[in-house]
């Protein structure tokens, strides 16, 4: 173990670059420091000289976390939270797992592989899918906690996460791991990996590395975890059950001429029908479906990948490099049975037409004529989607030194492509509607063999959608020291790149036409591309022996295939001041930008979608209480569900969206108060203008009077097909046609905070080496502003874009001696104010509710009886901490927030690693 007794090593460790600092320390004295390139700079220089706020996660640290995927690893970073995880994709086809530095949104974090871009996720409007990066092949991860648009261009507003694959490896090893939950059901995984490398660059003039891995994850069902098994949570004041049922709330006329609207025949018995998952709701006449009984908390997953990298040493100064990677991923998620959202009428001559219907007071009446209601395909079980994706990446490049200039150039091709297939429980309106109209399906009870066969005949199979996102890029950059000042050498870097992006999202006719029962309406195909040209430069100037300035700037020109174009210039300046050998001050100021994605530009206008959460029509069902028949000529619920339901919505893109612009600055200090202890504190501030967001349903429906123009209503008598919906109508007789949630430039997004880091190492002789590492982030401000209204702070609160905890940290204690390596890690997320539906506030639903802190401890012990063999045993969530309860409503999961927590509970794992040579 080395001692950090020089400034360079202390500062590097404080920045998290422990591995590089070690190299620098070991080389101290007469040896010359290795010139390397660090994420965030194009100038190759001595590793210990950089002043960037970079966190490096070494391979040893990756192993210590017990993470098996890039999503798992990045989710542990205190500086990254709020990104999407696989659990968020239950019920949302084609979702990616994403990073989210500073909680600003995943779109502001640029993810690189070996310092270069990779294609965005093919489906929807997603950035890079973390699960397309093979963690088993990663040597280290560098996280630049600062804006970097001046170097990398768009998307690097919040920072950069650079996954660096293994290089120059010689040997062969295999690894097998099993992860088993303490509760015995679901979320278990197995991972097998292998890597081999041969060739010595110095002796053989080449090196080749190949690696492969395979992972399988079993599904975890909501019913298998007590805190998530039901949508009815009186302790939280919520009942998220849906009014669309396998046995509907019926509207009909009896033989005496009495009319009934929304009456469930099982309400008298307390909605006791376990096979239909019915539960009582606030309306005393109705039942709801507890859809949580059908959903996954964690979907079934399978992924396999292979990578290869070859380097040929042309001469002492120059190399040719080739890389190829392919990752395949399959996810199958189950969620609620499909709601039959078109008007349903059961004919009087239907085979299952009831002879009587029991009213909620126990009275039995005889129906006559057609019966209407809102039905759900509970008899077919939960819906399922299967998403299969493939990421392919290939690179050919060269790097080295010519005429005193360091150069690096490459052609990189990456493509994310995928297909989404219908799983069980998916149905076609075109096939099912004739059966419903004929009365062939039993909506009053269980199906018999004939009706079940009829229902099965309406199922959808095959492919829903295919998509591909392609990026082809040529880049070239050079750097060198160009002038010698009395304080040191002036360094210059210049570079250029050209990139072609292509997005193709093709919907099969059944999806494009909106024929999927309970689906998102018509999902049109999208296809277009763009060309991006950029030039950039960077200059490092030593002003004094202990004061250095860095100036960088980048010019980009975007030209879209659909006719629009724009340019952007992003400058950045940094200062680094070495006060003493144990104290460094640093600061930066920059401008950045983010370009609209092709999907944000091109998404056609479509209706037939639905809101993520349950809402009530603010006019026809205020506070969840429907208007009486005396208050409206069209009874509430007669034409569609209007109370505590996912409301119909519409969306669209905009070809004329403006690029987002950002301003940011940071101030930091890195110091070593005592030997072997290194620390750093960084203040950062980001302000984003014209952020592109989909109009928030929480924004619109929490304040419907202010945003009435986004709520469209229709006349069910004169316009039953909703051909001419009316924006902003206040007519109590008109149900909602849809809530319009388009992509738009809005006012601003802002955030500021403090990053903390500390590392300590103590060599205790025969007792081994002890260590501790701490990383934390404290948000000081965080929020957003819509055009024309004051700023909204979501600091420590759940608002329009999810929860924003003020504080997160990770602290690890380590002990290493002989063949033992033991660690204990605490991951902590501070609680926050819970989501609040202002229309639901009451005695059981307080205006302000606190979500508790989430703190878990992970332990791991490794034993290496020989240099070749290592056994590891670990426990995640040592004390079996359940996620804190939350009334969050933006995902299918109920009772907790799947974005920040893990529903598995305590999980044991074992791993064996063998090095063949």
């Amino acid at each position: 173990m080395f001692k950090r007794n020089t400034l360079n090593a202390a500062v590097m460790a404080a920045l998290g670059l422990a591995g590089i600092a070690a190299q620098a320390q070991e080389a101290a004295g007469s040896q010359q420091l290795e010139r390397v390139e660090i994420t965030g700079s194009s100038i190759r220089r001595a590793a210990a000289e950089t002043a960037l706020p970079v966190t490096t996660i070494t391979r040893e640290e990756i192993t210590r976390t017990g993470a098996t995927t890039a999503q798992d690893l990045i989710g542990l970073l205190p500086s990254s939270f709020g990104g999407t995880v696989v659990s968020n994709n239950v019920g949302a086809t084609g979702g990616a797992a994403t990073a989210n530095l500073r909680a600003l949104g995943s779109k502001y974090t640029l993810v690189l592989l070996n310092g270069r871009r990779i294609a965005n996720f093919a489906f929807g409007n997603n950035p890079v899918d973390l699960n397309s990066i093979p963690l088993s092949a990663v040597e280290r991860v560098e996280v630049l906690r600062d804006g970097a648009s001046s170097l990398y261009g768009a998307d690097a507003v919040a920072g950069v996460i650079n996954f660096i694959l293994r290089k120059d490896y010689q040997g062969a090893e295999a690894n097998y791991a099993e992860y088993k939950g303490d509760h015995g059901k679901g979320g278990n995984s197995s991972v097998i990996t292998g890597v081999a490398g041969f060739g010595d660059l110095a002796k053989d003039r080449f090196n080749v590395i190949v690696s492969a891995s395979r992972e399988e994850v079993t599904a975890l069902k909501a019913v298998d975890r007590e805190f998530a098994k039901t949508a009815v949570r009186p302790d939280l004041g919520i009942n998220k059950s849906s009014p669309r049922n396998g046995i509907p709330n019926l509207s009909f006329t009896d033989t005496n001429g009495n009319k009934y609207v929304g009456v469930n025949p099982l309400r008298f018995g307390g909605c006791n029908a376990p096979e239909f998952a019915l539960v009582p709701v606030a309306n005393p006449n109705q039942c709801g479906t507890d859809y949580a009984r059908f959903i996954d908390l964690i979907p079934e997953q399978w992924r396999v990948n292979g990578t290869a990298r070859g380097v040929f040493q042309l001469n002492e100064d120059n190399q040719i490099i080739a890389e190829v990677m392919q990752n395949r991923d399959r996810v199958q998620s189950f969620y609620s049975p499909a709601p039959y959202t078109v008007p349903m009428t059961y004919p009087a001559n239907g085979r299952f037409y009831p002879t009587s219907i029991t009213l909620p007071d126990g009275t039995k009446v005889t129906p006559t004529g057609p019966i209407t209601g809102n039905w759900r395909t509970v008899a077919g079980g939960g819906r399922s989607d299967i998403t299969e994706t493939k990421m392919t990446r290939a690179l050919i490049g060269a790097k080295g030194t010519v005429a005193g200039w360091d150069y690096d150039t490459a052609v990189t091709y990456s493509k994310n492509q995928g297909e989404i297939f219908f799983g069980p429980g998916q149905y076609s309106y075109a096939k099912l509607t004739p059966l419903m109209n004929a009365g062939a399906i039993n909506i009053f009870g269980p199906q018999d063999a004939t009706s079940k066969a009829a229902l099965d005949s309406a199922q959808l199979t095959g492919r829903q959608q295919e998509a591909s996102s392609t990026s082809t890029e040529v880049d070239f950059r050079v750097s060198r020291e160009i002038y010698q000042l009395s304080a040191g050498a002036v360094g210059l870097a210049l570079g250029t790149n050209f990139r072609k992006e292509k997005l193709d999202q093709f919907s099969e006719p059944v999806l494009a036409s909106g024929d999927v029962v309970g689906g998102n309406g018509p999902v049109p195909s999208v296809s277009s591309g763009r060309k991006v040209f950029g030039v950039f430069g960077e200059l490092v100037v030593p002003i004094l022996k202990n004061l250095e300035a860095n100036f960088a700037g980048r010019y980009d020109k975007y030209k879209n295939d659909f006719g629009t174009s724009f340019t952007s210039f992003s400058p950045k300046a940094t200062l680094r001041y070495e006060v003493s050998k144990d104290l460094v001050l640093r600061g930066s100021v920059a401008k950045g930008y983010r370009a609209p994605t092709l999907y944000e530009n091109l998404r056609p206008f479509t209706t037939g979608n639905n809101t993520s959460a349950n809402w009530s029509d603010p006019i026809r069902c205020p506070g969840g209480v429907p208007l009486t028949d005396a208050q409206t000529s069209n009874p509430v619920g007669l034409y569609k569900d209007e109370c505590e339901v996912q409301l119909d919505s519409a969306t669209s893109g905009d070809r004329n969206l403006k690029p987002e612009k950002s301003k940011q600055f940071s101030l930091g200090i890195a110091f070593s108060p005592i030997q072997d202890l290194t620390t750093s504190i960084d203040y950062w501030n980001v302000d984003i203008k014209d952020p592109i967001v989909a109009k928030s349903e929480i924004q619109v429906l929490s304040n419907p009077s202010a945003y009435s123009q986004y709520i469209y209503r229709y006349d069910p008598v004169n316009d039953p097909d909703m051909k001419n919906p009316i924006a902003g109508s206040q007519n109590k007789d008109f149900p909602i046609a849809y809530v319009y949630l388009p992509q738009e430039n809005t006012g601003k997004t802002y955030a500021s905070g403090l990053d903390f880091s500390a590392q300590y190492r103590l060599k205790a002789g025969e007792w081994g080496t002890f260590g501790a590492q701490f990383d934390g982030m404290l948000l000081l401000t965080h929020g957003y502003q819509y055009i024309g209204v004051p700023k909204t702070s979501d600091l420590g609160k759940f608002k329009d874009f999810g929860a924003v905890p003020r504080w997160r940290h990770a602290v690890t204690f380590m002990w290493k001696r002989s063949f033992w390596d033991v660690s204990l890690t605490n991951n902590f997320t501070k609680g926050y104010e819970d989501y609040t539906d202002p229309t639901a506030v009451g005695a059981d639903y307080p205006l302000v509710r606190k979500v508790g802190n989430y703190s878990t401890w992970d332990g791991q012990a490794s034993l290496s009886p020989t240099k070749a063999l290592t056994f590891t045993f670990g426990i995640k969530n040592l004390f079996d901490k359940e996620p804190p309860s939350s009334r969050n409503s933006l995902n299918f999961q109920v009772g907790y927030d799947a974005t920040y927590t893990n529903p598995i509970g305590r999980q044991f794992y074992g791993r064996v690693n063998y090095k063949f040579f």
Side-chain angles (χ1 to χ4, degrees):
M1 188 69 181
F2 61 89
K3 296 181 180 179
R4 296 179 176 84
N5 54 10
T6 67
L7 169 72
N8 285 340
V11 173
M12 287 303 297
L15 294 171
L17 299 176
I20 296 176
Q23 296 171 15
Q25 180 61 39
E26 291 167 359
S30 60
Q31 296 185 27
Q32 183 178 358
L33 293 176
E34 180 186 2
R35 288 154 53 84
V36 297
E37 185 176 310
I38 302 296
T39 301
S41 177
S42 290
I43 296 177
R44 295 177 63 84
R45 53 209 301 230
E49 292 176 1
T50 183
L52 296 170
V54 177
T55 296
T56 293
I57 310 170
T58 66
R59 181 154 191 81
E60 180 182 9
E61 291 167 339
I62 294 171
T63 302
R64 191 173 286 130
T65 67
T68 62
T69 65
Q71 169 200 292
D72 295 339
L73 179 67
I74 298 305
L76 297 174
L77 289 175
S79 57
S80 175
F81 57 91
T84 55
V85 296
V86 174
S87 296
N88 295 140
N89 299 323
V90 172
T93 58
T98 62
N100 186 7
L101 292 174
R102 310 304 191 200
L104 287 168
S106 299
K107 61 184 180 179
Y108 299 115
T109 299
L110 179 62
V111 175
L112 304 176
L113 186 65
N114 286 346
R116 289 181 167 89
R117 289 175 178 263
I118 53 179
N120 287 342
F121 192 64
F123 294 104
N125 185 32
N126 290 291
V128 172
D129 180 15
L130 291 176
N131 286 330
S132 68
I133 297 173
L135 190 62
S136 62
V138 172
E139 178 64 28
R140 69 182 187 275
V141 182
E142 293 180 353
V143 183
L144 173 61
R145 307 185 316 274
D146 200 5
S149 290
S150 60
L151 183 62
Y152 298 111
D155 310 329
V157 172
V160 179
I161 299 178
N162 186 11
F163 292 87
I164 300 172
L165 302 184
R166 288 188 175 188
K167 300 177 181 178
D168 303 334
Y169 173 78
Q170 297 179 61
E173 61 183 271
N175 183 90
Y176 180 76
E178 284 275 359
Y179 292 72
K180 298 291 185 183
D182 191 28
H183 298 277
K185 292 185 177 180
N188 300 326
S189 63
S190 61
V191 186
I192 184 169
T193 65
V195 60
F198 56 94
D200 186 314
L201 284 175
K203 296 179 181 179
D204 306 318
R205 297 178 59 191
F206 76 92
N207 178 259
V208 175
I209 304 173
V210 294
S211 67
S213 69
R214 177 188 174 96
E215 179 182 20
E216 294 185 6
V217 180
T218 61
L220 175 62
K221 301 293 184 181
V223 293
D224 293 327
R225 299 298 278 131
E226 190 68 26
F227 60 83
K229 70 179 184 180
T230 176
V232 182
R233 292 292 300 269
D235 58 313
L236 297 176
I238 60 175
N239 185 336
K240 289 183 63 179
S241 60
S242 170
R244 296 162 177 160
N245 307 319
I247 298 178
N249 300 316
L250 305 173
S251 298
F252 63 95
T253 302
D254 67 15
T255 51
N256 294 321
N258 299 311
K259 294 184 178 180
Y260 304 90
V261 176
V263 173
N264 197 286
L266 297 184
R267 181 63 197 240
F268 174 67
C271 304
N272 185 21
E275 68 273 31
F276 290 95
L278 293 181
V279 293
V281 295
N283 189 317
N285 296 322
Q286 298 182 353
C287 298
T289 297
D290 189 355
Y291 70 86
R293 301 182 188 180
F294 300 92
I295 70 170
D296 290 338
L297 300 182
I298 296 177
E300 180 184 80
Q301 303 160 62
W302 169 92
R303 57 184 60 90
V304 62
N305 70 75
T307 65
R309 184 177 193 270
V311 180
F312 179 70
Q313 193 78 34
L314 290 173
N315 53 43
E316 184 178 350
D317 295 324
N318 298 281
Q319 298 176 341
I320 293 177
I321 302 167
E323 299 174 355
V324 64
M325 179 191 80
Q326 187 170 100
N327 184 86
R328 291 178 176 267
D329 190 276
R330 183 185 189 274
V331 178
Q332 180 171 13
S333 64
F334 281 85
Y335 49 111
S336 60
Y340 187 80
T341 57
V342 300
M344 187 278 296
T345 301
Y346 194 86
N349 62 351
R351 189 160 66 90
F352 300 100
Y353 195 88
T355 57
S356 66
I357 293 176
T358 303
L359 301 180
D361 62 4
T363 303
K364 292 188 175 182
V365 298
T366 302
T368 182
I371 298 175
T372 62
N374 293 303
W375 183 65
R376 183 182 290 271
T377 61
V378 174
R383 281 172 289 175
S384 173
D385 296 299
I386 301 168
T387 302
E388 296 183 357
T389 58
K390 180 173 68 174
M391 166 62 82
T392 302
R393 178 181 182 271
L395 175 148
I396 183 72
K399 64 188 304 182
T401 303
V402 174
W405 288 87
D406 296 323
Y407 72 91
D408 190 347
T409 184
V411 178
T412 308
Y413 170 85
S414 62
K415 183 177 184 179
N416 186 285
Q417 60 190 116
E419 297 176 295
I420 302 176
F421 299 91
F422 292 110
Q426 299 276 22
Y427 296 90
S428 160
Y429 282 117
K431 295 179 180 179
L432 189 55
T433 298
L435 298 172
M436 301 298 295
N437 292 340
I441 306 297
N442 188 4
I443 67 167
F444 307 102
Q447 308 298 321
D448 60 19
T450 302
S451 62
K452 183 60 167 61
L455 180 63
D456 291 345
S457 71
Q459 284 197 83
L460 290 168
T461 59
R463 188 173 66 188
Q464 304 179 35
Q465 191 179 29
E466 66 173 335
S468 66
S469 171
T470 306
S471 173
T472 305
E473 184 168 18
V474 180
D475 67 81
F476 179 79
R477 55 184 181 264
V478 295
S479 66
R480 68 168 296 170
E481 296 175 353
I482 59 171
Y483 191 75
Q484 190 69 33
L485 298 176
S486 59
V490 177
L492 173 69
L494 299 170
T496 184
N497 72 296
F498 175 77
R499 184 172 73 254
K500 286 187 64 175
E501 299 175 355
K502 187 78 169 65
L503 177 67
D504 292 295
Q505 296 178 350
F506 171 75
S507 296
E508 297 291 343
V510 65
L511 192 66
S513 64
D515 188 37
V516 182
V517 173
N520 290 324
V523 179
S525 298
V526 174
S527 181
S528 193
R530 65 169 37 140
K531 300 177 180 66
V532 185
F533 171 75
V535 293
F536 57 90
E538 183 181 1
L539 187 70
V540 175
V541 181
I543 302 171
L544 302 171
K545 286 288 186 181
N546 57 351
L547 178 63
E548 179 183 275
N550 181 298
F551 304 97
R554 179 183 177 96
Y555 171 84
D556 282 288
K557 182 175 182 179
Y558 277 69
K559 185 176 182 180
N560 296 316
D561 290 355
F562 46 89
T564 61
S565 62
F566 62 87
T567 62
S568 179
F569 178 71
S570 304
K572 183 174 184 177
T574 65
L575 278 176
R576 173 185 179 275
Y577 178 50
E578 183 179 313
V579 180
S580 69
K581 289 186 176 181
D582 298 315
L583 177 63
V584 165
L585 304 179
R586 60 172 174 251
S588 70
V589 60
K591 291 184 177 181
Y593 78 101
R594 174 186 172 271
T597 66
L598 292 170
Y599 187 88
E600 289 167 341
N601 283 137
L602 298 173
R603 176 63 159 92
F605 173 83
T606 57
T607 61
N609 311 310
N610 55 258
T611 59
S612 296
N614 286 358
W615 299 92
S616 295
D617 186 321
I619 291 178
R620 289 172 51 82
C621 191
V625 180
L627 299 180
T628 64
D629 291 353
Q631 295 174 300
T632 175
S633 60
N634 294 319
V636 175
L638 180 62
Y639 297 100
K640 58 165 55 183
D641 289 320
E642 301 177 73
C643 301
E644 289 299 318
V645 69
Q646 290 175 288
L647 297 175
D648 293 330
S649 66
T651 189
S652 68
D654 186 346
R655 297 186 177 211
N656 297 310
L657 290 170
K658 296 181 293 186
E660 306 175 40
K661 302 287 187 179
S662 69
K663 294 180 179 180
Q664 50 211 124
F665 67 91
S666 65
L667 295 169
I669 178 173
F671 57 100
S672 180
I674 61 174
Q675 188 172 340
D676 295 320
L677 173 63
T678 59
T679 61
S680 69
I681 303 174
D682 286 277
Y683 171 80
W684 53 269
N685 187 296
V686 182
D687 193 276
I688 303 171
K689 181 183 177 182
D690 298 324
I692 300 168
V693 298
K695 177 67 73 175
S696 166
E697 66 184 67
I698 297 177
Q699 173 195 7
V700 173
L701 294 169
S702 293
N703 194 357
S705 59
Y707 297 98
S708 61
Q709 292 301 309
Y710 290 90
I711 301 175
Y712 285 69
R713 298 182 179 276
Y714 74 105
D715 182 345
V717 176
N718 299 311
D719 185 23
D721 295 326
M722 295 180 277
K723 299 294 186 183
N724 299 292
I726 307 166
S729 171
Q730 303 295 301
N731 194 321
K732 294 183 178 181
D733 297 329
F734 292 179
I736 291 176
Y738 53 79
V739 181
Y740 184 41
L741 306 174
Q743 298 284 338
E744 61 181 7
N745 286 108
T746 188
K748 68 183 298 184
T749 300
Y750 63 92
S752 67
L754 293 169
D755 289 335
F756 301 87
S757 177
Q759 294 183 2
Y760 180 70
R761 295 290 187 275
L762 174 63
K763 293 191 70 173
E766 64 179 15
W767 292 99
T769 301
F770 294 86
Q773 181 170 322
F774 174 85
D775 287 287
M777 185 178 77
L778 174 67
L779 286 174
L780 300 176
T781 62
H782 198 285
Y784 52 90
Q785 183 178 22
Y786 297 119
I787 295 174
V789 298
K791 293 191 296 185
T792 297
S793 172
D794 56 9
L795 181 64
K797 303 174 184 178
F798 191 116
K799 290 290 187 180
D800 289 10
F801 302 101
V804 182
R806 291 196 65 176
W807 170 258
R808 292 189 85 204
H809 76 241
V811 57
T812 299
F813 304 95
M814 296 159 284
W815 172 65
K816 197 168 186 178
R817 179 176 181 267
S818 185
F819 42 73
W820 286 100
D821 189 337
V822 180
S823 66
L824 182 67
T825 299
N826 173 238
N827 294 292
F828 178 89
T829 300
K830 185 174 176 57
Y832 51 89
E833 285 187 18
D834 205 356
Y835 164 76
T836 296
D837 176 0
T839 67
V841 173
D844 298 325
Y845 193 99
L847 178 64
V848 177
R849 180 188 179 276
K850 181 70 179 296
V851 175
N853 300 332
Y854 186 56
S855 178
T856 61
W857 289 86
D858 302 336
Q860 185 185 98
S862 294
L863 171 66
S864 301
T866 70
K867 290 185 177 180
L869 182 63
T870 300
F871 298 100
T872 300
F873 173 75
I875 305 176
K876 290 185 175 184
N877 197 349
L878 186 62
F879 301 108
D880 200 22
K881 175 77 171 181
E882 290 187 352
S885 58
S886 169
R887 55 195 189 194
N888 160 45
S889 63
L890 293 183
N891 299 300
F892 270 83
Q893 294 90 346
V894 181
Y896 75 105
D897 196 322
T899 302
Y900 307 103
T901 60
N902 190 323
I904 295 176
R906 181 164 45 226
Q907 188 178 44
F908 301 91
Y909 64 92
R911 182 170 58 234
V912 59
N913 177 272
Y914 186 77
K915 297 179 180 179
F916 296 94
F917 60 90

